[in-house]
């Protein structure tokens, strides 16, 4: 038994066909933690070479319902990376200034520079998710965005940014448990807002919006990964494996040194 | 035997009075690595609370001669922090746009927001170091900057940014060895530039400029730490201890939850 992480571009993605509680038998919670540590070490080394090479970048886009584990993934999986070459950008409600530009303006300026790994905690996809579900712009406007997003992501990949998009897939029941845990744990309560319950009431509309975003923006140049996320250890392991594999395939190299350095003795 | 890390504000700082190879007997290379790991774990926890609290920030300013270990400190000491709430800004030669503003403009925009830890790899101090040594602006201009820097740092601390300034102190002989090692190690050669040798020739002028910057900008609100850095393990340990202590003293707390959450059951 295995469950695919990616879907062929063009094929309709139906989330009910993906089990959010899926985990394969290769690891358990304990061995997954070891593997994540090992991956972090490897990624730190690959990240160092990426930084030295100074030619390409990686952009990890994390999306998912509230409590699906975007922050947890970053905390657990990315902690081993050198913060000097790794930037995280949480995209919240746009500011007044940001709203005075097109929806990709604030995204574009946070794209990682050469040599770096950038992480988007939420992203331009919110502009076809919450914006659609809450009718924050007219339908014809959000409908035009899927194509604009594909073109934008093409621009980035042509500029040597490797885009890794992960949808953290949880069940409605799992979200219920996690929200309740936030309410019940004094150290987690600050994370809870009554607005979370209002969003939860729109679960089905979010599923529909996600299915469209995942289907319409699942391109050859920037495919989506559907990450089973009901079990935190498996979600972290999967994100970690995807990122390690991506960086290994990029195989960054130390750049050539300046000419004429042979035989120099520092005085 | 011990060597102070800080100097009383107002007192002239003479670097020859500080041994760059100093290390106390509390740790050795091996036990220091364990302690740094332990500190990183503690700082990750404190950083999480700082982020949750969302009221104050920490700014670590790293300065030092070429090869003194600014990058190495970040890589070794900061790796355990959550990249979501930790940003590193390496300040290189200013861009044309940056030069069209006052020298603090590009610095100000990178000051960490509430809840975050910011790290400056080089900083506004370059504007009284390389700028002075290389005469990039007239003397009356760089001379006015010490006071402007003190006022700027006052602004930040009044805005609840705790500033930690570390000067990584190495000897001229240690720099010679490190530059030679870069030349001799194929995996490090890309870091070497012939320009490094030109800078090294100006060692004494840099010492003079550093002594002025350290003395004139050693304030109550933002004191300098002089970190013995000839031994990398002791430098990393010292930086790690300073940062841990700073965050412990700040003692960030989880914020109060929204009102009216008692008894809510998520459906």
């Amino acid at each position: 038994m295995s469950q695919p992480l990616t879907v062929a571009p063009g094929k309709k993605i139906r989330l009910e066909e993906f089990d959010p509680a899926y985990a394969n038998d290769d690891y358990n919670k304990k061995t997954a933690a070891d593997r994540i540590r090992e991956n972090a070490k490897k990624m730190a080394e690959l990240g160092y070479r990426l930084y030295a090479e100074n030619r390409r970048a990686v952009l990890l886009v994390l999306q998912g319902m509230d409590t699906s584990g975007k922050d947890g993934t970053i905390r657990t999986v990315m902690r081993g990376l050198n913060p000097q070459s790794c930037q995280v950008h949480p995209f919240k409600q746009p500011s007044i200034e940001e709203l005075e530009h097109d929806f990709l303006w604030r995204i574009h300026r946070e794209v990682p520079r050469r040599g770096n790994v950038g992480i988007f905690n939420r992203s331009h996809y919110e502009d076809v998710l919450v914006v659609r579900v809450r009718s924050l712009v007219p339908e014809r406007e959000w409908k035009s965005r899927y194509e604009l997003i594909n073109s934008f992501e093409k621009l980035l990949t042509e500029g040597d940014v490797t885009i890794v998009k992960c949808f953290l897939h949880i069940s409605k029941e799992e979200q219920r448990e996690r929200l309740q845990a936030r309410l019940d744990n004094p150290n987690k309560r600050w994370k809870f807002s009554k607005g979370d319950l209002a969003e939860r009431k729109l679960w089905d509309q979010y599923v529909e919006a996600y299915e469209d975003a995942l289907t319409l923006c699942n391109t050859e140049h920037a495919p989506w990964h559907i990450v089973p996320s009901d079990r935190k250890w498996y979600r972290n392991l999967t994100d970690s494996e995807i990122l390690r594999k991506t960086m290994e395939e990029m195989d960054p190299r130390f750049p050539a040194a300046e000419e004429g350095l042979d035989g120099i003795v520092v005085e």
Side-chain angles (χ1 to χ4, degrees), chain A:
Chain A
M1 271 261 307
S2 76
Q3 181 167 290
L5 277 173
T6 55
V7 175
K11 194 170 171 292
K12 169 75 183 168
I13 293 179
R14 276 178 239 281
L15 287 175
E16 61 184 16
E17 292 170 9
F18 294 82
D19 178 9
Y22 175 82
N24 66 28
D25 292 334
D26 297 349
Y27 291 93
N28 57 40
K29 198 168 169 176
K30 166 73 187 70
T31 56
D34 294 340
R35 174 70 180 176
I36 289 168
R37 249 192 308 277
E38 187 194 314
N39 286 352
K41 216 170 153 182
K42 186 69 195 171
M43 286 193 288
E45 185 204 315
L46 289 161
Y48 186 62
R49 281 201 264 145
L50 189 74
Y51 174 77
E53 184 191 72
N54 197 28
R55 220 165 51 72
R56 294 172 293 172
V58 177
L59 172 59
L60 174 67
V61 174
L62 291 174
Q63 285 287 160
M65 302 280 197
D66 287 346
T67 76
S68 61
K70 301 178 287 296
D71 295 88
T73 293
I74 294 167
R75 203 165 49 236
T76 314
V77 178
M78 312 301 161
R79 207 177 245 164
L81 288 173
N82 182 352
Q84 177 144 291
S85 51
C86 173
Q87 290 85 35
V88 182
H89 293 284
F91 288 98
K92 318 227 174 206
Q93 275 193 26
S95 69
I96 293 174
E97 191 196 6
E98 287 167 352
L99 285 170
E100 282 172 358
H101 297 83
D102 70 78
F103 76 103
L104 292 171
W105 180 80
R106 67 172 184 154
I107 308 294
H108 208 158
R109 40 197 292 166
E110 305 302 356
V111 168
R113 66 176 64 193
R114 284 180 192 139
N116 283 8
V117 176
I119 300 165
F120 286 177
N121 183 346
R122 303 187 185 271
S123 65
H124 43 299
Y125 284 98
E126 293 299 321
D127 294 287
V128 289
L129 293 164
V130 60
V131 166
R132 165 176 166 169
V133 170
R134 293 274 179 192
S135 301
L136 302 181
V137 303
E139 179 169 346
R140 61 170 166 64
E141 199 169 328
W142 60 254
K143 275 206 163 157
S144 72
R145 288 181 175 174
Y146 302 102
E147 206 181 316
L148 294 169
I149 288 173
N150 289 340
S151 303
F152 172 66
E153 292 181 352
K154 183 86 183 161
L155 170 72
L156 302 191
T157 54
E158 300 259 320
D160 288 323
V161 178
T162 299
I163 303 176
V164 182
K165 300 190 293 197
C166 291
F167 169 67
L168 307 184
H169 183 33
I170 55 166
S171 65
K172 196 174 178 189
E173 170 57 19
E174 179 68 22
Q175 188 191 57
R176 191 193 62 71
E177 286 173 26
R178 292 186 187 179
L179 286 174
Q180 194 65 55
R182 285 185 184 179
L183 278 164
D184 298 345
N185 180 337
N187 278 348
K188 285 187 174 177
R189 224 179 211 207
W190 62 275
K191 286 203 254 181
F192 187 91
S193 140
K194 282 179 209 154
D196 298 343
L197 297 177
E199 286 298 285
R200 177 169 166 79
K201 288 215 172 79
L202 299 167
W203 181 274
D204 292 343
Q205 286 95 307
Y206 273 107
V207 168
E208 204 186 333
Y210 261 114
E211 286 184 342
D212 275 353
L214 295 170
T215 301
L216 297 171
C217 299
N218 188 36
T219 55
E220 296 283 354
H221 58 276
W224 274 104
H225 297 79
I226 298 166
V227 179
S229 300
D230 272 5
R231 306 189 207 199
K232 292 178 182 175
W233 69 266
Y234 191 71
R235 172 201 75 206
N236 289 338
L237 175 66
T238 306
D239 291 335
S240 170
E241 291 287 314
I242 292 170
L243 200 61
R244 175 185 173 152
K245 188 161 167 274
T246 301
M247 292 175 78
E248 276 178 341
E249 284 172 2
M250 290 173 77
D251 191 20
R253 305 293 179 98
F254 288 111
E258 222 176 281
E259 293 286 306
L261 296 186
D262 287 336
I264 287 185
V265 176
V266 182
E267 278 161 18

